[in-house]
Amino acid sequence: MSVVDYKLQLSYKRILKDFLENKSEQSLYEAQKVSKFLLEQKISPEEFVSIHFKVLTEMLPQMDEQIQDSFVLLLEVMMGYGLAYQEHQILRNRQQELESEIDVAASMQQTLLPQEKPKTEFLDVGVVCEPAKKMSGDYYHYVHEDDKGLGMAIADIIGKGVPAALCMSMIKYAMDSLPSEQQLQPSLLLENLNRVVAQNVGDSMFITMMYGYYNRTTGDFHYSGAGHEPGFFYSVANDAFEELHAKGLVLGVSRQTKYREYTRHLDVGDFIVLLSDGVTECRIGDEFIEREEITKLIRKYMHLTAQETVNRVYEELVKIQDFVLRDDFTLILLRRTV
Amino acid sequence: MNLTIRSEQTDNAHHIYLAGEIDAYTAPQLRESLIPLAKEKGIELTIHFNEVEYIDSTGLGVFVGVLKTTDANGSNLKLCGMSSRVRRLFSITGLDEVITIEEVKEGQS
């Protein structure tokens, strides 16, 4: 018998003896502590019944034979609980393994997202990208190989969690492998990405994306959308927000899809807001937030830098939802500076 | 929130009436009921959204899957009775350009 078992028997004997003699509350309290100890030590129910039986026969050597025999039956009954308990332990270990694997995957996924913000002098860029769970279905990406302009993509992969994250790596590598001249042509970029996605995803899977390229020389923002939540365009001259619509079919449904290209001219101070549906699907109680509320929030903080603005908007939206994100949340702001 | 699915069948047509929310939790149940119907050859599959309060992207994915299946089997898919919030999602995603959606007439809700 192990030292632990021996000590357990001794102290249980004391508790049992005290209880049979005094029926005190204190013994019941100590019995609860024994129960905790048993769980910690992973001692199964039938093991403990046999300890109880052993201690009892030591204390009452004259115990009725029929009572003694009844313990054989009780032990048999407890076996089932013992097996269930073992199974529970195995499942718990397996769950811990899975969780640590997901942690590794989540940190790998983080490396798919840009590690640094673009350091462009002509655009002030702010980004918030927060997953609702460990893994995210939101993706963003930028391309800037020279100082002529900046390309920016925002994407939302259907669903959340692991399947969405796996799909994200495909998008990232597909974008990386597209020839750089396509980065100047949003419609062409989406057409090519769509073919890759359509060939590689399941029947009920799709990805929404908006891609835009800001041309520094002309001050024009060229963009195309594949079923993505519309963004906003803010003009200083009009002091007004407009919806940044880009009609187009989501990626992955039909290989022959063509995408329309749109253009907005940005004057100094004008900005573009790109967002995921996690922003517009914020709920206050049971009510969805209106898009107008989001522009009001942006207006409240737009005197700050792009990064500060998106940070504050994110903080407020999280606060009104009692600090629980239901969906992955991505908000990007690009402001022309010169 | 749950989703209830009721179906009616005539010779070459299936009518599916949905009520509730279509999201990541109810989408598998919906897919299981729709895909076998979509696999039948040359049928009219009409889905009624009158009592659908909410749909998310996973829900939209079910209809993308159903569309691909009906197309492959020479059948027709038609969606009708959408609220403006649900309709907006089909419009944003461009799915209204590939799926037949019957507009709600004025005066109806």
Side-chain angles (χ1 to χ4, degrees):
Chain A
M1 185 171 25
S2 73
V3 183
V4 175
D5 284 358
Y6 182 65
K7 281 190 174 165
L8 175 65
Q9 276 191 25
L10 278 187
S11 45
Y12 184 64
K13 193 172 181 180
R14 181 181 53 73
I15 297 166
L16 185 61
K17 190 162 181 284
D18 190 52
F19 179 70
L20 294 180
E21 283 165 9
N22 306 314
K23 305 271 185 308
S24 73
E25 283 277 327
Q26 177 63 23
S27 314
L28 291 177
Y29 171 66
E30 288 193 69
Q32 283 175 13
K33 287 209 291 195
V34 169
S35 164
K36 260 187 207 158
F37 177 81
L38 295 175
L39 288 171
E40 274 168 23
Q41 296 294 322
K42 301 185 177 139
I43 293 171
S44 67
E46 77 271 19
E47 272 179 87
F48 191 71
V49 169
S50 83
I51 289 173
H52 177 84
F53 178 61
K54 202 168 166 201
V55 169
L56 201 63
T57 39
E58 277 171 27
M59 284 167 57
L60 310 167
Q62 309 300 323
M63 187 171 25
D64 186 289
E65 207 170 298
Q66 279 190 319
I67 294 178
Q68 288 191 30
D69 289 347
S70 78
F71 274 89
V72 177
L73 207 62
L74 180 59
L75 268 175
E76 202 55 41
V77 172
M78 295 318 281
M79 291 287 223
Y81 286 94
L83 287 175
Y85 179 68
Q86 270 179 19
E87 211 167 297
H88 167 80
Q89 287 296 338
I90 292 168
L91 284 177
R92 244 176 82 157
N93 293 342
R94 201 175 290 167
Q95 194 203 353
Q96 277 167 0
E97 269 172 38
L98 282 176
E99 268 182 31
S100 67
E101 275 179 28
I102 287 176
D103 284 340
V104 174
S107 69
M108 276 179 72
Q109 192 194 20
Q110 280 304 309
T111 66
L112 297 176
L113 295 172
Q115 300 304 301
E116 292 182 326
K117 272 198 308 173
K119 293 184 187 68
T120 48
E121 286 163 12
F122 50 91
L123 281 180
D124 180 18
V125 179
V127 177
V128 173
C129 184
E130 287 293 327
K133 295 182 190 159
K134 283 181 183 169
M135 312 278 276
S136 176
D138 279 5
Y139 177 66
Y140 71 100
H141 181 99
Y142 28 66
V143 241
H144 61 120
E145 283 172 356
D146 48 40
D147 59 0
K148 289 189 189 127
L150 178 77
M152 188 96 187
I154 181 167
D156 188 347
I157 296 146
I158 181 177
K160 302 181 191 69
V162 179
L166 285 173
C167 205
M168 181 190 291
S169 69
M170 172 180 68
I171 283 287
K172 150 113 180 135
Y173 295 114
M175 283 205 79
D176 284 348
S177 62
L178 291 176
S180 58
E181 63 269 18
Q182 283 188 12
Q183 288 156 4
L184 311 178
Q185 288 173 275
S187 55
L188 201 59
L189 182 139
L190 289 186
E191 269 168 45
N192 284 319
L193 266 185
N194 176 56
R195 273 197 291 275
V196 175
V197 175
Q199 276 168 24
N200 291 290
V201 298
D203 265 357
S204 332
M205 202 64 186
F206 62 75
I207 294 166
T208 73
M209 182 182 268
M210 191 178 272
Y211 178 81
Y213 181 80
Y214 174 72
N215 182 326
R216 182 197 184 170
T217 321
T218 59
D220 288 337
F221 183 72
H222 304 276
Y223 61 101
S224 291
H228 195 79
E229 182 74 25
F232 299 106
F233 164 70
Y234 174 79
S235 143
V236 176
N238 301 331
D239 185 26
F241 284 89
E242 278 174 52
E243 292 231 333
L244 199 68
H245 272 292
K247 183 97 178 165
L249 183 62
V250 291
L251 305 177
V253 173
S254 161
R255 285 189 202 186
Q256 286 83 37
T257 312
K258 297 275 177 207
Y259 293 92
R260 277 159 260 177
E261 200 163 302
Y262 304 77
T263 304
R264 286 275 177 169
H265 180 75
L266 268 66
D267 286 320
V268 174
D270 290 355
F271 61 83
I272 298 285
V273 178
L274 302 177
L275 40 83
S276 68
D277 60 3
V279 179
T280 46
E281 299 232 326
C282 283
R283 296 195 205 193
I284 310 171
D286 275 342
E287 291 292 306
F288 287 100
I289 190 166
E290 296 296 325
R291 282 172 65 85
E292 210 173 276
E293 294 293 322
I294 295 162
T295 53
K296 270 188 200 160
L297 272 177
I298 296 171
R299 184 181 283 281
K300 187 171 162 190
Y301 294 115
M302 69 188 189
H303 59 283
L304 302 167
T305 63
Q307 188 59 50
E308 280 282 302
T309 309
V310 291
N311 285 350
R312 297 290 179 87
V313 170
Y314 169 70
E315 282 160 19
E316 282 220 13
L317 285 174
V318 172
K319 201 166 108 188
I320 56 173
Q321 298 191 96
D322 295 327
F323 302 95
V324 180
L325 274 189
R326 282 165 184 260
D327 195 358
D328 306 323
F329 182 109
T330 304
L331 183 62
I332 297 172
L333 197 151
L334 309 165
R335 181 192 278 126
R336 178 172 175 183
T337 51
V338 287
Chain B
M1 188 71 205
N2 286 327
L3 177 71
T4 55
I5 304 168
R6 187 167 62 81
S7 65
E8 276 173 20
Q9 186 184 358
T10 55
D11 289 345
N12 278 326
H14 289 280
H15 284 266
I16 309 291
Y17 298 85
L18 305 177
E21 295 195 359
I22 309 172
D23 57 18
Y25 299 101
T26 58
Q29 170 203 356
L30 181 61
R31 188 177 301 124
E32 265 175 44
S33 357
L34 294 183
I35 294 292
L37 301 178
K39 279 184 177 161
E40 291 179 24
K41 306 245 178 256
I43 54 140
E44 292 283 330
L45 183 56
T46 309
I47 300 172
H48 300 261
F49 278 72
N50 305 58
E51 288 169 60
V52 173
E53 287 147 29
Y54 172 78
I55 182 166
D56 74 357
S57 56
T58 314
L60 291 176
V62 173
F63 295 99
V64 170
V66 171
L67 174 74
K68 287 180 182 175
T69 315
T70 48
D71 278 356
N73 291 288
S75 294
N76 269 326
L77 172 67
K78 192 167 82 181
L79 313 181
C80 59
M82 286 181 195
S83 71
S84 59
R85 186 162 187 106
V86 171
R87 180 69 183 80
R88 178 178 174 269
L89 267 176
F90 277 90
S91 163
I92 285 177
T93 51
L95 289 172
D96 60 350
E97 294 182 355
V98 289
I99 303 179
T100 312
I101 297 176
E102 198 171 88
E103 302 300 337
V104 176
K105 292 181 196 81
E106 268 180 53
Q108 283 178 274
S109 67

